[in-house]
Amino acid sequence: MKVLLFCLKGFETLEFSPFVDVFGWARNDFDCDIEIITCGFTKEVVSAFGVPMIMDNTIEKIDVSDFNALAVPGGFEEFGFYEEAYDERFLRLIREFDRQNKPIASICVAALPIGKSGVLTDRKATTYHLNGGVRQKQLAEFGVNVIPDKSIVIDRNIITSYCPQTGPYVALNLLAGLVGEEKAKKLAIAMGYDDFETKN
């Protein structure tokens, strides 16, 4: 299996790393045939706080049929996150993952491009909840039924969450959807997340 980890300009590394770690543990220690492929609009993507990261691939080379899931970390407006988040090429990619009914997992404000793509219209989701709920209000403007008080919301194939702290739990929920709840729970305990329970 392959998971496409899409990194937009200004992405937050704290929200990137849980996907790498959880799926790395799954592959190395729990015999899961699963691989993370990083991707961006450019080969080098500068994350929040100015940290450059080299991607495995760029968006124009991606065929959704080659992947089992999409994972998207959120990011910071002041580091250019929304300059790429609403790019039509990325929105088309989201729509295609949804059309093929493949899991889409996002952390924090990464729910906003998913909402803008239209795939969350009349569906449940959440996003960053502090600062007066401004990001949740923006998500609602895309026709999304925002659940403001749940840290993680899953509506069919789409996982959303409301802050960086949720990152490992989003990754574990995505893993559970791909390899099964039992294996995901064993991995969670091995990583110290004894409180992990799959959401629905």
Side-chain angles (χ1 to χ4, degrees):
M1 286 187 282
K2 291 183 179 180
V3 175
L4 184 67
L5 178 53
F6 202 98
C7 299
L8 298 155
K9 180 182 177 181
F11 74 92
E12 189 166 2
T13 53
L14 185 62
E15 299 177 14
F16 165 92
S17 60
F19 294 112
V20 175
D21 271 29
V22 166
F23 285 92
W25 277 66
R27 184 180 181 91
N28 290 347
D29 294 357
F30 287 84
D31 202 29
C32 296
D33 183 15
I34 199 160
E35 183 179 4
I36 287 279
I37 305 294
T38 58
C39 182
F41 281 100
T42 54
K43 189 71 173 174
E44 180 180 277
V45 178
V46 179
S47 69
F49 315 117
V51 179
M53 304 276 282
I54 303 300
M55 300 292 112
D56 297 316
N57 232 323
T58 52
I59 190 168
E60 68 274 3
K61 297 178 180 177
I62 297 302
D63 183 342
V64 172
S65 63
D66 292 336
F67 294 90
N68 299 88
L70 172 65
V72 190
F76 278 73
E77 184 170 14
E78 52 267 50
F79 290 98
F81 183 77
Y82 298 100
E83 294 170 19
E84 294 183 349
Y86 294 156
D87 188 297
E88 183 58 31
R89 291 169 293 172
F90 183 52
L91 302 184
R92 282 198 301 268
L93 187 77
I94 293 168
R95 291 182 198 118
E96 187 57 25
F97 269 94
D98 187 64
R99 190 189 69 79
Q100 295 187 27
N101 199 35
K102 293 182 176 181
I104 300 171
S106 68
I107 300 173
C108 201
V109 296
L112 288 165
I114 298 171
K116 187 171 177 62
S117 76
V119 303
L120 278 173
T121 301
D122 296 324
R123 294 172 68 179
K124 296 175 183 177
T126 193
T127 191
Y128 189 62
H129 61 308
L130 300 178
N131 294 340
V134 62
R135 297 303 184 193
Q136 292 190 339
K137 291 171 186 172
Q138 289 174 341
L139 186 61
E141 289 171 3
F142 297 133
V144 180
N145 179 12
V146 175
I147 310 298
D149 300 324
K150 286 188 71 175
S151 60
I152 295 176
V153 176
I154 300 178
D155 191 316
R156 302 200 303 269
N157 63 315
I158 299 180
I159 306 170
T160 56
S161 75
Y162 72 16
C163 70
Q165 177 270 342
T166 63
Y169 300 95
V170 170
L172 287 163
N173 272 283
L174 178 58
L175 180 69
L178 294 172
V179 304
E181 185 174 332
E182 183 180 352
K183 189 165 282 191
K185 282 186 174 181
K186 287 180 180 177
L187 185 148
I189 291 168
M191 293 184 74
Y193 295 103
D194 299 21
D195 59 344
F196 169 69
E197 294 290 339
T198 52
K199 309 283 185 182
N200 49 39

